Amino acid sequence: MSEAKHRAVFPGSFDPITRGHENILRRAAGLFDEVVVAIGVNQDKQGMFPLEQRMDMLREVFADAPQVKV
């Protein structure tokens, strides 16, 4: 029987990603087997970056942390 994975979900708009977001996610990556970054879209706000670009930015920042999933 395999060992259970410990997962965390970190939701936010990440518009744009900040050093604070990065710090929290890197610390979480050290505590959990997988950290899922859930990007929310607020239809009532005019965002700075489209969703796909925010996803790309997050993937680039965490390219060295395979346990962080966007």
Side-chain angles (χ1 to χ4, degrees), residues 4 14 17 23 31-32 34-36 38 42 46 50 60-61 63 69:
F14 307 101
I17 184 173
N23 181 277
L31 298 172
F32 297 94
E34 183 177 75
V35 180
V36 178
N42 184 342
Q46 177 64 37
E60 184 176 325
V61 169
K69 311 287 187 201

Side-chain angles (χ1 to χ4, degrees), residues 7-67:
R7 292 185 180 102
V9 177
F10 186 57
S13 61
F14 307 101
D15 193 22
I17 184 173
T18 66
R19 294 282 187 182
H21 293 135
E22 181 180 2
N23 181 277
I24 290 168
L25 282 162
R26 289 200 182 277
R27 287 189 289 141
L31 298 172
F32 297 94
D33 298 317
E34 183 177 75
V35 180
V36 178
V37 180
I39 303 173
V41 177
N42 184 342
Q43 300 296 338
D44 296 329
K45 287 173 57 176
Q46 177 64 37
M48 291 177 57
F49 299 99
L51 176 60
E52 288 296 325
Q53 190 172 2
R54 290 183 276 158
M55 291 173 70
D56 289 343
M57 287 188 282
L58 281 156
R59 288 183 184 122
E60 184 176 325
V61 169
F62 294 102
D64 64 331
Q67 66 273 45

